[in-house]
Amino acid sequence: MVTMNGALIKLEDLRKVFYTDEVETHALAGVNLEIREGEYVAIAGPSGCGKSTLLSILGLLDTPSDGTYYLSGETVSSLSRRDRAYVRNRQIGFIFQAFNLIGDLTVHENVELPLTYRDIPKGERQERVAQALERVQMSHRAKHYPSQLSGGQQQRVAVARAIAGRPVILLADEPTGNLDSKNGEAVMNLLDELHREGATICMVTHDPRYADHADRAIHLFDGQIVREENGNRGKLHELEQAGFELKQASHG
Amino acid sequence: MESLWKDFKYSARMLLKAPGNTVVSVIALALGIGLTTTMFSITYGVIFRGLPFEASHRIMFLTRNNPAEDIQRMGVPVHDFLDWREQQTSFEDLGGFYNGTVNVSGLEGRPERFSGAFVMAGGLDMLRVPPLMGRLFVEGEDQPGSPHVTVLGYTVWQNHFGGDPDVVGRTLRVNGEVSTVVGVMPEGFYFPMNEQLWVPYRQNTAEMERDEGTWLGVFGRLKDGVSREAALAEFSTIAQRLAMEYPETNEGVGATVEPYTERFVGPELSALLYTMLAAVFLVLVIACVNVANLLLARVSVRSKELAIRSALGAGRLRIVMQFLSETFTLAAVGAGLGLVIAWVGIRLFDNAVARSEPPYWMAFELDGAVLVFAIALTVVAAVMAGILPALKASGAKVNEILKDESRGTSSLRIGKLSRSLVVAEIALSCGLLVAAGLMIKSVVNLGNLDFGFDTEGVMTARVGLFESDYPDETARLQFFEQTVARLDAHPAVAVASLASGLPTTGRGGRPHFAVEGEIYEADQDYPLARQIIVTPKHFETFGVSVLQGRDFGTQDTRDNLPVALVNLPFAEKYFPGESPIGRRIRVGESDSEEPWLTIVGVVPDMYLDPPENEEPEGFYVPLSQSDARFLSIAVRPVGGDAAALAPVLRDEVMAVDSDMPIYWVRTVADEVAENTWIFKVFSTLFVVFGAAALFLGAVGLYGVMAFYVSRRTQELGVRMALGAEASDVLRLVLKQGLWQLGIGLFLGLGIAALLSRGLEVLLFQVEPWDPMMFIVITLVLFAVGMLATYVPARRATLVDPVQALRYE
């Protein structure tokens, strides 16, 4: 599943150029990055620094102009549209700022959606949906429509949809951006829990408080990584690795 | 008022902002309003316009019926008329007439034939139309022996008397008699149907048997306060009284009273017109549905604007008005264009029917009444198109929209309504197209119909002899025999003959007859068949051979064996499996004094009636053994154009009788066209309606699917982010379109079944439930529908998920 040196994702000199009205915009200007399996990485930076572009490329929604992207040891930077859809469906789970649930589908159907694009028997699909909803404590709302839920609840459903496909990595784009601080904190805790259970997470955020939840925070500016630091969780990990007794950390 | 004006100004701005939508909406409404107005003008002209007289709705037409024998709308024998007139109290008076040919000579140039009315004195006064000059007929002028008088129509006065102000008092020869002009009628008066001049009905009724004489058309003006029903009750009583008094002639005979103009329309034509009006109204509904759908699309795009207006205190009514002002603007522009369409349509229809000479009050024009209808229709269309979007827009919950827009889910569930409207459109298009298809098939059948005789190479004309000029059979026979002999001998003519009725015209008698050896229990059991009087070589003129036996010849004189020819349908029906040659038939019923006619030959079916007639049986008798006053001449040229023989016909007839005009001078092809025009006109109308419906339906489906795709760009992006492939997206959108198509077609076939039933009278050799037509139209609509869905579906697969997810 992983590259020789243990990286689930590896980006080598990744570049993305947009052309609009003869103006060249270098959204990504040579990004080198590795994300190991089980790691929780935050990508931070101001508006327009290239965070979303980087996440789109990581999520195979977009392709780089130059450079190489390895996912699970395979080069995916030059896959066809169709193959990207295939990989996206099986290896990547998305959580969006605007939730992006489909209004005409019930909670259950929304969570089931990625599974319907694979040949998974109905029984297994139902089971996975049930597990995912259970995991985010939304089973009781399975028959509701998104418009009948609060923002926090909608984002939990979106998380359930992202994990139902059992992806190798969860990509979260400002997952708390549309939520109040209480609901935002609850979603962050949910991601923490998933991480503790072994999920690999890559999250884009501009809020330093949330970046602190991650093992490692990568700061982007003008399309380049300008700084990399360990978050609180990263610091705790370091302590753990140093062999110190660890008391259960609690975040309010 | 000011706010209304503001609404309209804002509407105009909004409409200009979306020019594509606006143009499609205007075209849709123009088609709908234009075609409906055209059809209304036709229906109005035929059914509602009525006679151009004072209180003309009180003028009734009276006929006799015989329910036991299922006979409706019989004319009235003169004795019945006189009894009715004497005994009735419901009408101010009763008028009686029959129309016929009036030959006038003593004019400049050749003698002329006019269509005229023979009227009872006093009848015309009831119409309350004073003559332009002179007077109408007075009591006594309809008595035999009184001096002959004539009332001229305006056109005759203008065209043949140069508008002579001193025409009253001039004398002419009318049907061979010297007659004085006593009056001139005003312009536009052609009562009772299309008559150009009027002479009194002059019969010595005292010497006539009860059932003798030409049957009359009878009309009357209801007295004030008397209803049609009351009049009918009175006439039923009178009819019963006459039946008791004269059981021989009047047993079982009743009376009917109906508005004058209805008599000339008949239930079949009414049903057809109403079907057409319903069909075209469906086109308008489709157009409105399209506009409603386009507006619904905008409602959802503008939901935020509406929510803000609402949040700022705009009431529900204001928002409804805002939307209606948009559809009113659209409908007004559409109506403008629609009136142009209607003007063209009405002109085309008027030209097409002119050749069949409809009754004179049936005018087809874009006049006040039609304009009022068009305006009312515009209001209806504006409301129909605008009310759903307006209610939808004003009913949406403000809070939810403001909240939802940023959440990426839509609670403004316009989808369902929009989709139902498209289903309705498809259903309506399907119904109309099946009807159009049946009509086209019908016309094709008619075009391909093999009449079995030469329709191109024969020229015809009609002559009529009057009692005054030709008082006995011998004189008449002599005239006809001389005429046909002269024509036959003419170097330009290959062959000439005479017939009482030409093919496809339905002219000629249709008497009861008996087959020798058959037993008929009652008089009404005697069968009916078309009887045509012909001279020898009639069949040769039309390029038809006698199938069996022989043609008439010089041997068939009055002193020899009375003979007849029968057509093939006659032979097959009455002599199945055997030869009719030598068998005998007799005209009349049990008390017939006619001679038995020996069948000497069988000829092919020459469509004695218009082609849709289902009783083609007919027989022929030789002119030399019968008597006729009106005959058609048919000539075939030696070579070249048959129409070039017109002057030859005129000259040869005048050589026999210099006062004798000929009329209905035309080729057989024209005659056939005249008897089949109605199929062509109505099928053209249906094809136009169907094509408009197909166009509107396809645009509607495309519009809704395109809207669906654009509205769902974000959703499609999400699906693609989650791994949906292009084929998944294509399938999703096509499935949506397929559902609508499927339900629409299913309902449409139901509508088609209803419409085609209404069309039955117009269908020629086509079943109203022609399975092929239903299948073909379903497939065509399916293909068009799938194409209209595929284009946006294909576009949906090109959605860039990154863009889509930013789409808000």
Side-chain angles (χ1 to χ4, degrees):
Chain A
M1 282 293 276
V2 290
T3 49
M4 306 286 266
N5 60 5
L8 177 67
I9 283 176
K10 187 179 178 192
L11 305 180
E12 283 180 358
D13 196 25
L14 203 74
R15 290 167 189 276
K16 180 71 183 180
V17 188
F18 292 110
Y19 299 91
T20 44
D21 294 335
E22 295 173 17
V23 178
E24 241 183 55
T25 312
H26 292 262
L28 296 176
V31 172
N32 291 289
L33 175 66
E34 284 188 14
I35 299 173
R36 291 186 300 279
E37 196 175 1
E39 203 179 4
Y40 186 169
V41 176
I43 300 171
S47 274
C49 70
K51 305 186 298 270
S52 294
T53 306
L54 180 57
L55 199 74
S56 291
I57 292 175
L58 286 173
L60 294 173
L61 291 171
D62 206 349
T63 51
S65 309
D66 206 356
T68 315
Y69 171 14
Y70 298 97
L71 176 63
S72 307
E74 308 273 338
T75 313
V76 292
S77 34
S78 55
L79 290 180
S80 70
R81 208 179 141 93
R82 194 192 160 109
D83 290 339
R84 276 190 280 134
Y86 183 88
V87 175
R88 203 156 59 221
N89 181 245
R90 281 159 180 78
Q91 304 207 25
I92 294 165
F94 278 105
I95 301 160
F96 303 97
Q97 175 178 359
F99 323 142
N100 281 328
L101 297 176
I102 292 172
D104 284 343
L105 301 181
T106 62
V107 163
H108 186 281
E109 287 164 341
N110 264 291
V111 175
E112 192 183 15
L113 195 58
L115 304 179
T116 59
Y117 298 127
R118 302 183 201 176
D119 290 330
I120 296 178
K122 193 173 178 195
E124 192 187 335
R125 281 209 310 264
Q126 302 298 332
E127 202 184 307
R128 286 210 202 178
V129 172
Q131 281 174 4
L133 284 175
E134 184 68 30
R135 182 66 198 78
V136 301
Q137 297 178 344
M138 287 297 293
S139 305
H140 62 298
R141 294 299 193 106
K143 286 182 180 157
H144 286 67
Y145 284 93
S147 59
Q148 298 167 308
L149 305 179
S150 73
Q153 288 174 320
Q154 289 197 43
Q155 193 60 303
R156 273 153 65 194
V157 173
V159 171
R161 181 175 67 183
I163 61 174
R166 296 180 188 160
V168 299
I169 185 165
L170 283 175
L171 299 178
D173 185 4
E174 302 272 12
T176 58
N178 281 15
L179 299 174
D180 60 38
S181 58
K182 189 171 161 239
N183 275 309
E185 204 56 50
V187 166
M188 290 311 294
N189 287 340
L190 180 58
L191 291 181
D192 288 347
E193 283 169 31
L194 290 170
H195 172 53
R196 273 200 296 278
E197 289 159 17
T200 310
I201 300 174
C202 178
M203 172 180 72
V204 162
T205 180
H206 66 275
D207 189 331
R209 283 179 302 147
Y210 294 135
D212 281 351
H213 282 251
D215 297 334
R216 186 155 55 108
I218 291 157
H219 292 268
L220 271 183
F221 191 76
D222 278 351
Q224 289 180 314
I225 294 174
V226 291
R227 187 155 53 93
E228 226 183 295
E229 64 185 27
N230 291 336
N232 282 341
R233 180 169 296 283
K235 286 167 199 156
L236 290 172
H237 269 269
E238 279 165 19
L239 292 171
E240 251 180 304
Q241 280 163 1
F244 285 90
E245 228 7 69
L246 174 68
K247 288 193 173 166
Q248 186 70 33
S250 69
H251 297 273
Chain B
M1 203 57 212
E2 194 198 329
S3 69
L4 199 67
W5 174 238
K6 263 192 190 152
D7 279 348
F8 273 101
K9 262 177 32 188
Y10 183 76
S11 308
R13 226 165 54 221
M14 292 312 288
L15 293 173
L16 290 175
K17 251 178 84 178
N21 270 0
T22 304
V23 168
V24 171
S25 302
V26 165
I27 291 177
L29 288 170
L31 276 173
I33 293 173
L35 296 179
T36 311
T37 304
T38 307
M39 199 56 226
F40 172 78
S41 167
I42 294 169
T43 312
Y44 180 77
V46 173
I47 298 177
F48 301 112
R49 192 184 295 275
L51 290 163
F53 305 149
E54 185 194 330
S56 64
H57 62 281
R58 302 197 60 79
I59 298 178
M60 299 285 139
F61 198 92
L62 292 89
T63 49
R64 297 180 309 147
N65 63 2
N66 190 334
E69 292 192 29
D70 195 26
I71 302 172
Q72 302 297 330
R73 291 176 159 174
M74 284 189 289
V76 183
V78 66
H79 280 289
D80 278 23
F81 170 78
L82 294 173
D83 288 334
W84 281 9
R85 198 180 197 180
E86 193 185 290
Q87 297 178 24
Q88 68 90 22
T89 58
S90 301
F91 293 90
E92 290 177 6
D93 191 7
L94 290 186
F97 68 88
Y98 67 89
N99 31 20
T101 296
V102 178
N103 288 344
V104 179
S105 54
L107 301 170
E108 306 292 317
R110 298 168 183 277
E112 287 275 349
R113 174 262 173 192
F114 298 100
S115 120
F118 299 78
V119 296
M120 295 283 185
L124 292 178
D125 300 87
M126 223 184 335
L127 304 176
R128 300 183 187 164
V129 180
L132 191 64
M133 286 196 287
R135 59 168 176 84
L136 296 171
F137 304 125
V138 293
E139 225 34 71
E141 280 178 337
D142 51 1
Q143 293 306 310
S146 61
H148 289 273
V149 289
T150 304
V151 170
L152 300 179
Y154 186 85
T155 324
V156 177
W157 175 55
Q158 285 294 318
N159 297 347
H160 298 279
F161 294 89
D164 176 9
D166 300 321
V167 72
V168 173
R170 274 181 66 171
T171 54
L172 330 154
R173 273 179 73 81
V174 175
N175 287 347
E177 307 282 356
V178 175
S179 179
T180 309
V181 176
V182 294
V184 177
M185 292 308 285
E187 196 173 358
F189 181 89
Y190 299 97
F191 190 83
M193 252 190 94
N194 270 318
E195 277 52 55
Q196 295 159 295
L197 49 79
W198 299 266
V199 292
Y201 172 96
R202 299 157 59 97
Q203 299 280 335
N204 193 350
T205 49
E207 284 179 12
M208 284 162 68
E209 294 287 327
R210 238 201 117 69
D211 56 354
E212 216 182 311
T214 310
W215 286 359
L216 301 174
V218 177
F219 62 96
R221 185 184 282 273
L222 282 174
K223 283 181 186 163
D224 284 341
V226 178
S227 68
R228 173 186 167 187
E229 289 70 27
L232 180 62
E234 187 193 20
F235 274 77
S236 301
T237 315
I238 296 174
Q240 277 172 16
R241 205 151 53 214
L242 293 177
M244 303 249 284
E245 210 171 330
Y246 311 104
E248 284 267 307
T249 51
N250 288 52
E251 190 168 3
V253 172
T256 52
V257 176
E258 60 191 330
Y260 186 86
T261 50
E262 266 180 33
R263 164 68 187 87
F264 298 88
V265 178
E268 284 182 345
L269 183 57
S270 299
L272 174 68
L273 287 172
Y274 287 125
T275 304
M276 301 284 293
L277 198 56
V280 77
F281 190 72
L282 292 186
V283 174
L284 179 66
V285 173
I286 293 175
C288 290
V289 167
N290 264 343
V291 176
N293 248 336
L294 291 170
L295 282 176
L296 275 175
R298 295 238 301 285
V299 169
S300 73
V301 172
R302 283 165 57 186
S303 54
K304 198 138 199 173
E305 172 213 318
L306 293 167
I308 292 167
R309 279 173 180 269
S310 201
L312 295 178
R316 186 165 182 164
L317 186 67
R318 271 305 302 275
I319 290 180
V320 168
M321 288 310 291
Q322 168 63 46
F323 262 84
L324 286 183
S325 69
E326 283 191 31
T327 54
F328 268 95
T329 310
L330 285 171
V333 180
L337 276 178
L339 283 179
V340 175
I341 295 176
W343 185 78
V344 173
I346 294 168
R347 286 290 294 270
L348 290 177
F349 184 83
D350 196 39
N351 288 343
V353 298
R355 62 195 300 180
S356 74
E357 297 183 9
Y360 78 100
W361 62 87
M362 288 188 191
F364 306 104
E365 52 198 35
L366 198 59
D367 61 1
V370 178
L371 274 177
V372 167
F373 174 82
I375 291 168
L377 198 64
T378 306
V379 173
V380 169
V383 172
M384 235 178 352
I387 199 71
L388 274 180
L391 290 178
K392 195 79 196 177
S394 66
K397 293 194 184 73
V398 181
N399 238 341
E400 276 186 32
I401 295 167
L402 287 174
K403 222 164 60 185
D404 274 357
E405 284 281 300
S406 56
R407 266 192 206 167
T409 56
S410 168
S411 66
L412 197 68
R413 291 179 165 253
I414 278 168
K416 246 181 221 164
L417 183 58
S418 231
R419 287 192 295 252
S420 319
L421 290 180
V422 169
V423 165
E425 275 187 81
I426 295 168
L428 298 179
S429 307
C430 179
L432 280 179
L433 282 173
V434 169
L438 292 171
M439 293 294 297
I440 294 170
K441 191 169 176 188
S442 194
V443 169
V444 169
N445 282 351
L446 204 58
N448 291 341
L449 180 67
D450 179 10
F451 284 98
F453 58 85
D454 185 3
T455 55
E456 297 298 327
V458 183
M459 188 66 196
T460 73
R462 194 131 172 117
V463 284
L465 308 185
F466 286 90
E467 299 272 2
S468 52
D469 295 330
Y470 293 91
D472 57 67
E473 281 183 25
T474 322
R476 291 191 280 269
L477 185 61
Q478 205 176 4
F479 169 84
F480 287 127
E481 284 184 344
Q482 271 183 34
T483 304
V484 80
R486 284 190 71 91
L487 281 166
D488 218 13
H490 193 280
V493 175
V495 53
S497 59
L498 299 170
S500 59
L502 291 174
T504 77
T505 61
R507 250 172 246 127
R510 192 178 182 78
H512 281 285
F513 69 94
V515 175
E516 193 178 29
E518 296 287 326
I519 292 159
Y520 306 98
E521 284 190 1
D523 278 358
Q524 63 258 38
D525 296 335
Y526 283 75
L528 290 163
R530 182 69 67 204
Q531 179 189 20
I532 306 288
I533 300 165
V534 295
T535 59
K537 299 195 198 168
H538 171 74
F539 304 100
E540 193 186 329
T541 311
F542 284 87
V544 169
S545 318
V546 176
L547 299 174
Q548 214 184 327
R550 64 166 176 91
D551 192 1
F552 297 133
T554 46
Q555 71 273 35
D556 300 314
T557 61
R558 209 159 294 263
D559 307 324
N560 281 344
L561 178 75
V563 291
L565 293 169
V566 298
N567 67 9
L568 197 57
F570 189 104
E572 284 169 350
K573 183 163 179 183
Y574 298 108
F575 306 101
E578 55 180 313
S579 168
I581 308 283
R583 302 287 299 271
R584 302 206 300 172
I585 57 175
R586 188 182 65 183
V587 172
E589 293 131 10
S590 54
D591 58 353
S592 171
E593 289 169 9
E594 295 290 321
W596 285 99
L597 308 172
T598 304
I599 297 170
V600 294
V602 179
V603 293
D605 180 13
M606 285 175 68
Y607 288 88
L608 301 175
D609 286 277
E612 72 274 17
N613 174 50
E614 284 168 1
E615 291 172 344
E617 301 84 24
F619 62 96
Y620 298 83
V621 294
L623 178 64
S624 49
Q625 292 181 344
S626 34
D627 179 29
R629 287 174 46 211
F630 291 84
L631 287 178
S632 289
I633 310 169
V635 288
R636 169 188 285 282
V638 169
D641 188 9
L645 287 181
V648 174
L649 284 172
R650 196 164 276 132
D651 292 343
E652 294 305 313
V653 170
M654 293 240 327
V656 180
D657 180 344
S658 61
D659 274 350
M660 183 63 59
I662 59 172
Y663 54 99
W664 295 346
V665 184
R666 52 200 169 201
T667 63
V668 173
D670 286 342
E671 191 79 60
V672 171
E674 178 152 310
N675 291 308
T676 53
W677 70 272
I678 191 165
F679 291 94
K680 288 177 186 152
V681 169
F682 281 93
S683 63
T684 308
L685 281 173
F686 253 94
V687 169
V688 171
F689 297 167
L694 179 64
F695 169 76
L696 292 174
V699 167
L701 188 60
Y702 171 81
V704 165
M705 292 317 293
F707 171 64
Y708 170 85
V709 167
S710 73
R711 253 323 260 177
R712 302 213 162 194
T713 301
Q714 190 197 11
E715 175 192 329
L716 296 172
V718 172
R719 284 175 182 267
M720 288 171 114
L722 298 177
E725 291 176 17
S727 58
D728 293 314
V729 172
L730 195 66
R731 207 174 307 131
L732 179 78
V733 179
L734 283 181
K735 201 170 93 185
Q736 182 63 52
L738 262 177
W739 263 108
Q740 296 176 65
L741 253 182
I743 300 173
L745 287 176
F746 178 76
L747 296 176
L749 292 176
I751 294 177
L754 287 178
L755 266 182
S756 61
R757 179 108 193 103
L759 281 182
E760 212 168 347
V761 41
L762 270 183
L763 296 180
F764 177 67
Q765 295 181 355
V766 178
E767 286 299 313
W769 290 286
D770 184 63
M772 267 315 283
M773 192 52 67
F774 278 72
I775 292 170
V776 166
I777 295 296
T778 307
L779 290 179
V780 166
L781 261 176
F782 186 79
V784 171
M786 280 322 283
L787 188 70
T789 311
Y790 180 77
V791 176
R794 178 84 199 123
R795 195 182 305 148
T797 65
L798 302 177
V799 166
D800 175 1
V802 179
Q803 291 292 324
L805 292 171
R806 281 193 204 128
Y807 201 100
E808 289 204 12

